[in-house]
Amino acid sequence: MKIGVLISEGPYTHQAADSAYKFVSAALAAGHEVPRVFFYHDGVNVATRLSLPPQDERHIQQNWTALAKEHEVDLVVCVAAAQRRGLLDEGEANRNGKDANNIAEGFRISGLGQLIEMGIQTDRLVTFGD
């Protein structure tokens, strides 16, 4: 089964990103496909490479980066939600005259069309967050 995942709440304040990570890991281990995870609203904050949780806590962004690399999962960050929250890749930073970018490895910024496409191309769309 092909499963798409939508995360709409931020890390460390809600459990959505952690629960989604565990769900995706379990789905992949069970032989399902998870071609894309879409980060929306505050969920885009998972994608910042600048988060520094204490060493004895889980590192949500690094968990997602490793999972995407190992299983070739497309991690897509909503461009509008990201810009509102100051999350930029190199292209968006240059286009908007900013001097830095902060998107983590394995994530990419794109539009809501990627969410629609994911909904069409998967058998199920599972959401985490409100």
Side-chain angles (χ1 to χ4, degrees):
M1 177 182 298
K2 279 188 176 182
I3 303 169
V5 175
L6 170 68
I7 300 171
S8 62
E9 290 182 338
Y12 306 109
T13 54
H14 299 281
Q15 69 182 40
D18 282 320
S19 296
Y21 173 77
K22 290 176 182 175
F23 173 84
V24 170
S25 296
L28 292 167
H32 299 290
E33 284 183 65
V34 181
R36 179 174 297 148
V37 176
F38 193 88
F39 297 84
Y40 194 44
H41 296 298
D42 283 341
V44 302
N45 290 314
V46 171
T48 181
R49 66 181 171 82
L50 299 178
S51 63
L52 293 170
Q55 291 180 349
D56 61 341
E57 287 185 15
R58 75 236 182 270
H59 197 304
I60 296 172
Q61 173 268 305
Q62 286 182 354
N63 290 346
W64 279 107
T65 293
L67 183 132
K69 188 174 185 178
E70 182 180 346
H71 297 282
E72 298 181 8
V73 176
D74 187 21
L75 303 179
V76 178
V77 177
C78 174
V79 63
Q83 286 178 342
R84 284 185 195 103
R85 291 159 180 85
L87 185 67
L88 305 170
D89 63 10
E90 187 174 353
E92 288 300 314
N94 290 336
R95 191 172 13 267
N96 291 286
K98 301 295 181 180
D99 61 358
N101 65 76
N102 58 344
I103 193 162
E105 178 185 350
F107 292 84
R108 68 183 180 95
I109 292 180
S110 194
L112 283 174
Q114 298 293 308
L115 174 60
I116 301 303
E117 181 182 78
M118 179 176 68
I120 292 168
Q121 294 178 346
T122 57
D123 301 307
R124 298 283 185 271
L125 178 59
V126 181
T127 63
F128 292 85
D130 48 343

